[in-house]
Structures are given as structure tokens and as C-alpha cells.
Amino acid sequence: MDDNLNATYITLAGFVELHKYRYLYFLVMFTVYILIICCNSVIICLIVIHRNLHEPMYIFIAALLLNSVLYSTNIYPKLSVDFLSEKQIITYPLCLFQAFIYYSLAGSEFLLLAAMSYDRYVSISKPLQHPTIMRKTTVIILLVLAWTVPACEVAACIVLYTDIKLCNFTLKGIFCNNSIYSLQCVRSVVVSVFGVFMLLNMALFPLLFILFTYTRILIISYRSSKTVRRKAAQTCLPHLLVLINLSCLFTFDISVVRLEADIPRIAHLIISIQMISYHPLFNPIIYGLKMKEISKHLKKLLAQVKSH
């Protein structure tokens, strides 16, 4: 690739044996993408259609699943093109845009889970005041903040990246994420400090808030009746499973580049594919199976489909 092309394009070098398995890769990832869109969309539609699901908890779940659809759409179409292309390249501005969407939605997911944990805490600790505290206006404000705050912070970081001189034009990954940090000629102190600020603000602080609220819920449930304990377990367990899954993937994503871990390319590819497929599929399955009201409507829908 000549210098002129290098000045504009970034090579995605995380693919393994692509010349042998490109059609297999494409078929598998295209199937996963369709499953992600269908599974998440079904749960979202059930929440929209049924009035008894128009509660804060289910609205936050719908927002979380919408995040999964947007997250996947940011990656899969470009990935599918790369599988079938001779050269796996992307322009630097588009690479920055993909990273912007990727981290904006990741930050939104942590904040949405924090909003859900607060809703569960109010519901269990103050059940009579819950409708007053979690009004429609409050839910809308929390949703707007969950989507706009990460977007603004990540946008500011991306602006800093636009002025950085590049000396490396090859990414080890299969899409643009934290790995763009390795393209810099000189590691920018400003970008590093702002990256830590974003990590604290979008992931660590929401995570600590979630752990605090669920600890409080656990204490309240332990002191209460079996009915309260059962309600807490039914509504909180799916959120905790999603949180643990998201935290593990996000930890890998941040640490693998920042710590410059020497991971074999095949292992890096496998983990990257898990990051973009496992989590978006995990969310609708967990909420569809573990949330009682959603599961009930889902079973009715499947029964109607079978009868036809």
C-alpha cells in the first residue's frame, strides 16, 4: 500500500486465514447479525405493544435492546463487506466514527443499567412511592442523559484524535475500537488523561452505583418477606447477569490495547467476535427468559406462530 493511500486508509489486520474461510466467516456473521436484529426487535415490539409492559423497568430494557441493535449495525455491515473484499481497509475518519458509535453505545449501556438499578431500588425499598418518583418525565430524562452524556464525552475524545499525527496505519483488530490508540506516533498525554476520565465517568462510577443499589436491595430483601425476596430475585438477577457480561467484555476491550498485551492473533479474533456477537444475543435471551411478564407474552406469541 503506497504512502498516499496510507495517509487516508487504515488496514484492519485482525483477520485470520480469510482467503480460506471468507465465505464461512460471512455466512456465520451474517446469520448472527440477523439473529441479533430479530431477537432484540421481538422483545422491543412486545414491550411497545403491550400496555402492562409500559413501566420504567421494561422501557429501560427496550432502550438497552435498541442499543444492541445499533451497536451491531455499527459493526456487522462493514465486517460483512470486509469478509468478501480483497483488502480490509477503512478510511481514518470512518474508523473514528465507528469508534465513536461503539463507545457511545457502550457508555449508554452502563448508564441504562444504572438507571434500571435505581428503578429496582425504588420499587423494592419504596413500593408505594415508586409511581411518584419514577414518573414518565423522570424516565425520559434518564433515557436522554444515558444517550447524550456518553456521546458528548466520546465526541470530545474523537476531536482530540483528529489532530494526532499517525505513524502506524495497521490495526490488529477487525473493527475500530480502542486499538486506534496504537496508531499514534507519540502517545498523547491529553488523550490518555481524557480516556481515564471517560472510563471513570461512563463505566466505573455507574458500576459502583449499581453495586451500591443492589447491595441495598439485597439487605432490604433479606430483612423482608419471601414475596419481596422472590420479586427482587426475578427482576434483579437478569440485570446483574447482563452487567457482569458487559463488564468482562469492556475490561478486555480497554486492557488489551492499553496494556499492549501480546495476544495471539487467532485468540484476539475469537475474543473480538465474542464481543460483537455474544453480548447483543445474550441480552434478549436473558430478558426474554428471566423476566416473567416478557416471558409470558413471548410464549403467547410463539404459540400463535405455531398455531398458524
Side-chain angles (χ1 to χ4, degrees):
M1 193 174 293
D2 59 38
D3 293 337
N4 290 331
L5 195 57
N6 275 344
T8 307
Y9 285 86
I10 304 298
T11 300
L12 301 170
F15 298 92
V16 178
E17 299 287 349
L18 188 59
H19 61 287
K20 287 184 180 180
Y21 304 114
R22 67 172 69 248
Y23 296 110
L24 178 62
Y25 282 146
F26 173 81
L27 182 61
V28 171
M29 298 311 290
F30 181 75
T31 303
V32 170
Y33 181 49
I34 296 300
L35 284 173
I36 289 171
I37 297 296
C38 292
C39 292
N40 285 281
S41 298
V42 166
I43 305 296
I44 292 170
C45 289
L46 287 176
I47 293 171
V48 171
I49 291 169
H50 297 284
R51 293 186 64 84
N52 69 320
L53 298 181
H54 292 182
E55 296 178 10
M57 177 176 62
Y58 299 111
I59 293 171
F60 289 132
I61 289 174
L64 205 65
L65 299 183
L66 178 60
N67 248 29
S68 295
V69 173
L70 296 174
Y71 171 88
S72 302
T73 303
N74 178 49
I75 294 172
Y76 278 86
K78 174 66 174 75
L79 196 60
S80 299
V81 171
D82 286 335
F83 285 139
L84 300 179
S85 301
E86 290 300 318
K87 295 179 180 179
Q88 291 70 49
I89 56 176
I90 186 171
T91 63
Y92 186 57
L94 281 178
C95 190
L96 290 178
F97 180 74
Q98 188 177 58
F100 163 73
I101 299 296
Y102 180 85
Y103 287 109
S104 294
L105 294 174
S108 296
E109 193 137 348
F110 276 106
L111 292 179
L112 286 169
L113 286 170
M116 291 163 74
S117 70
Y118 175 69
D119 173 67
R120 290 300 82 209
Y121 171 70
V122 174
S123 175
I124 291 168
S125 64
K126 302 175 183 179
L128 297 178
Q129 299 176 37
H130 180 259
T132 306
I133 296 173
M134 296 302 293
R135 298 190 304 271
K136 184 179 179 180
T137 306
T138 306
V139 173
I140 292 172
I141 290 171
L142 290 173
L143 288 174
V144 170
L145 288 175
W147 275 313
T148 56
V149 171
C152 292
E153 291 184 10
V154 177
C157 188
I158 294 298
V159 169
L160 294 175
Y161 267 101
T162 58
D163 293 329
I164 291 175
K165 185 179 179 182
L166 305 182
C167 286
N168 180 21
F169 298 93
T170 302
L171 288 180
K172 294 180 180 179
I174 58 176
F175 58 92
C176 296
N177 57 353
N178 194 42
S179 55
I180 58 176
Y181 184 76
S182 64
L183 301 178
Q184 306 170 34
C185 293
V186 179
R187 298 295 168 89
S188 169
V189 175
V190 176
V191 170
S192 297
V193 171
F194 195 81
V196 172
F197 167 77
M198 286 200 315
L199 180 62
L200 292 173
N201 209 30
M202 295 194 314
L204 187 59
F205 291 155
L207 181 61
L208 291 175
F209 176 78
I210 293 166
L211 293 177
F212 170 76
T213 54
Y214 281 124
T215 302
R216 292 293 302 159
I217 289 171
L218 188 64
I219 294 170
I220 294 167
S221 302
Y222 180 76
R223 294 173 179 172
S224 303
S225 63
K226 285 186 177 180
T227 305
V228 174
R229 286 199 293 270
R230 192 182 300 112
K231 178 184 176 184
Q234 286 176 347
T235 59
C236 295
L237 182 60
H239 304 327
L240 285 173
L241 290 173
V242 170
L243 176 66
I244 292 167
N245 181 49
L246 177 65
S247 299
C248 291
L249 296 177
F250 201 70
T251 300
F252 166 78
D253 179 80
I254 295 297
S255 62
V256 70
V257 174
R258 297 286 171 160
L259 299 179
E260 296 184 336
D262 186 18
I263 298 175
R265 202 158 62 136
I266 183 65
H268 195 285
L269 175 66
I270 291 170
I271 297 172
S272 296
I273 289 175
Q274 284 182 329
M275 286 172 60
I276 62 175
S277 57
Y278 179 61
H279 186 65
L281 276 175
F282 182 77
N283 286 1
I285 291 172
I286 284 295
Y287 288 124
L289 294 177
K290 294 294 184 181
M291 299 301 289
K292 187 177 178 182
E293 290 300 318
I294 295 177
S295 179
K296 189 191 303 180
H297 289 298
L298 190 58
K299 287 175 181 176
K300 287 181 181 178
L301 178 63
L302 292 175
Q304 289 174 358
V305 171
K306 285 181 181 180
S307 65
H308 287 295

